[in-house]
Amino acid sequence: MRIPMRILAILLFAAAFAPPVFAAKRVSVERLEQFLTETRGMPDAKLARQISDLELTERLSETKLQHWYSELSGQMSGQALIALADASAFLNPPTAEMPAKAEPDLASQTQMMTMVLNYVNQTIHQLPNFFATRDTISFEDTPSTPSTFTSGQATGLSPIPPTDESGGEHRYEPLHAVSDSSATVLYRDGNEVVDTGDRKDKESEPQVQGLATSGEFGLELGIVIVDAIHGKLAWSHWEQSVAGPWAVFHYSVPQGASHYSVMYSDPAGDVRQVPAYHGEIAVDPASGAVWRLTVVAELKPTDLTSVSNRMVEYGPVAIGGTTYVCPMKAVALSKVELTTVMGRFRKRLGMQQTKLNDISFTQYHLFRAETRVLTGDSEEPAGSPPASGGTSVLASPQTQTPSATDSHPHPPDQRPPQRLR
């Protein structure tokens, strides 16, 4: 049977624009350790490429990441290992790393979740006014594109650089670091805002679009816990931590009960969704303190944002002489469709790009605002500090693909220092 020429032309056109499928090699944490031992001494760029071609089937712990990172001699392979570990943040740890502990009975589980709810209500309201440094390393891959597209045409996200001066076909590049920057996060009167004026982007870094998140300081935690209580909540497993076992619960929130938003932005405007989502909550069984939270949005493959995953780890932080439980590390992973925009019109290109943020929160300090009343007979003593103030903006727990004017939030102090320097 002969295929009509018009249909054949359409099929050939579609094939030309369909991105090739790159299947990563799936490995366990144990096999990754063997691989890193076998490849010791390999040139940095070659090792980075091989690490980027891997996909973990289990979560890589922070302890092992630090150890293996310190064994690597090159920056590129170190970045590739960080991206590999972050992508595994939404998986269960290896079975060997889970404590052999019996599942608690239903009454104990109920008591734990009651303590969690009380803890969240108290934590959010008891946090003082403070500021902290948010460091972010942003990773992204480069989708393969046919030679029909030239650099800069895919304006929905960052332009895809040509592989040669002639502007030929763009080859696929796995996740790689594109941005390393810092910003000051202010938390005042229960509101969170990023002080963009304090951001220290390197001049050598390209101005690319990326993944922006907010709500780590309590608001996201509060919304997820309340949604989970009204959704489905079930026991999952025990996990071992330095301080002892964590009780891990799995939750699922239907779209009708969801208050979690995901936003896609490009020059044509914003596309906001409030999807169903699920994830895990790791808690201290004795106090109800939340130490780890994951959020996986249930999006469609045809959505502009087809993947939107968040993970936040909390830890004890001293602020103004008092210890509070605050965010220490976060991971944001998204997959978005490339678009080209003409005016207010958006054209979807049928190619998806993966973006990943490795976020750390450090340098917590108490935020104080002082007011001094001076009478006509009073004089300002020399060297007196001026009254300080601040600006607060209500933050929403949303995942966002921002416009090109937004910059990206770099590595946690708990990880190896200066790993990208």
Side-chain angles (χ1 to χ4, degrees):
M1 181 181 71
R2 296 186 59 185
I3 302 176
M5 291 301 296
R6 185 174 67 85
I7 297 178
L8 180 61
I10 293 175
L11 293 175
L12 291 175
F13 179 84
F17 285 84
V21 176
F22 295 89
K25 182 179 179 181
R26 292 168 57 82
V27 296
S28 64
V29 170
E30 181 180 9
R31 180 65 189 100
L32 175 62
E33 184 172 19
Q34 295 172 357
F35 166 79
L36 293 175
T37 301
E38 294 166 358
T39 55
R40 186 168 295 162
M42 181 179 289
D44 184 38
K46 183 177 180 181
L47 178 57
R49 187 76 188 196
Q50 293 201 18
I51 294 175
S52 297
D53 288 338
L54 300 177
E55 178 184 347
L56 283 168
T57 58
E58 305 163 316
R59 189 196 317 158
L60 179 59
S61 70
E62 187 73 15
T63 302
K64 288 188 175 181
L65 173 60
Q66 289 190 34
H67 173 70
W68 294 346
Y69 183 93
S70 66
E71 296 289 319
L72 299 176
S73 58
Q75 176 175 291
M76 295 177 65
S77 55
Q79 293 174 354
L81 184 61
I82 292 169
L84 179 65
D86 285 350
S88 74
F90 309 94
L91 304 174
N92 285 333
T95 304
E97 297 181 12
M98 294 185 183
K101 192 174 167 69
E103 176 181 333
D105 57 32
L106 185 58
S108 299
Q109 296 177 28
T110 302
Q111 183 180 8
M112 285 185 211
M113 288 312 303
T114 300
M115 289 191 296
V116 169
L117 190 58
N118 293 334
Y119 164 81
V120 170
N121 289 332
Q122 294 174 3
T123 298
I124 295 176
H125 292 97
Q126 290 181 359
L127 281 176
N129 295 336
F130 64 83
F131 62 94
T133 299
R134 186 178 74 184
D135 297 323
T136 304
I137 311 170
S138 294
F139 297 86
E140 64 181 36
D141 66 3
T142 303
S144 176
T145 61
S147 57
T148 307
F149 294 106
T150 58
S151 178
Q153 280 189 299
T155 55
L157 295 170
S158 55
I160 302 175
T163 56
D164 53 53
E165 295 181 357
S166 63
E169 181 175 337
H170 306 102
R171 295 187 297 270
Y172 171 80
E173 292 291 335
L175 281 173
H176 54 280
V178 295
S179 165
D180 179 7
S181 61
S182 298
T184 298
V185 180
L186 306 176
Y187 185 87
R188 188 181 184 192
D189 300 331
N191 299 324
E192 173 190 335
V193 62
V194 176
D195 183 2
T196 56
D198 217 20
R199 194 166 281 160
K200 303 184 287 287
D201 290 272
K202 299 177 182 178
E203 293 181 0
S204 60
E205 291 174 349
Q207 294 301 307
V208 295
Q209 294 171 314
L211 180 65
T213 61
S214 64
E216 290 91 350
F217 294 97
L219 186 59
E220 177 180 35
L221 177 61
I223 286 180
V224 170
I225 294 297
V226 172
D227 280 359
I229 295 297
H230 291 89
K232 294 181 180 180
L233 192 62
W235 172 260
S236 181
H237 60 274
W238 291 102
E239 285 188 15
Q240 190 61 46
S241 72
V242 176
W246 287 348
V248 182
F249 292 85
H250 180 272
Y251 70 88
S252 178
V253 179
Q255 187 174 19
S258 174
H259 294 87
Y260 190 84
S261 64
V262 175
M263 186 178 294
Y264 178 99
S265 297
D266 64 13
D270 299 337
V271 178
R272 181 175 178 271
Q273 296 174 265
V274 182
Y277 64 98
H278 65 269
E280 290 184 343
I281 307 167
V283 306
D284 180 348
S287 67
V290 177
W291 296 111
R292 189 172 186 274
L293 175 72
T294 64
V295 178
V296 178
E298 298 177 7
L299 301 163
K300 299 176 182 177
T302 54
D303 290 337
L304 285 167
T305 301
S306 58
V307 172
S308 178
N309 299 347
R310 298 277 303 277
M311 186 280 295
V312 183
E313 288 183 353
Y314 303 85
V317 176
I319 307 177
T322 303
T323 300
Y324 301 90
V325 177
C326 295
M328 301 292 290
K329 171 190 171 182
V331 171
L333 175 66
S334 75
K335 185 172 289 187
V336 295
E337 184 169 348
L338 290 170
T339 61
T340 183
V341 177
M342 297 183 64
R344 295 178 300 168
F345 299 97
R346 173 190 299 117
K347 180 180 179 181
R348 302 175 65 157
L349 301 181
M351 296 175 291
Q352 290 190 323
Q353 184 173 43
T354 301
K355 290 180 175 287
L356 184 148
N357 279 357
D358 177 279
I359 308 166
S360 67
F361 297 92
T362 60
Q363 303 180 48
Y364 282 82
H365 298 283
L366 199 62
F367 180 87
R368 290 187 176 96
E370 296 180 354
T371 302
R372 175 169 296 189
V373 179
L374 299 178
T375 66
D377 298 329
S378 304
E379 292 184 2
E380 182 73 19
S384 296
S388 60
T391 303
S392 63
V393 176
L394 182 63
S396 62
Q398 64 184 24
T399 301
Q400 186 174 6
T401 304
S403 63
T405 56
D406 290 355
S407 54
H408 316 279
H410 144 166
D413 280 3
Q414 293 180 323
R415 294 192 180 180
Q418 301 178 348
R419 61 187 183 189
L420 283 183
R421 307 303 186 191

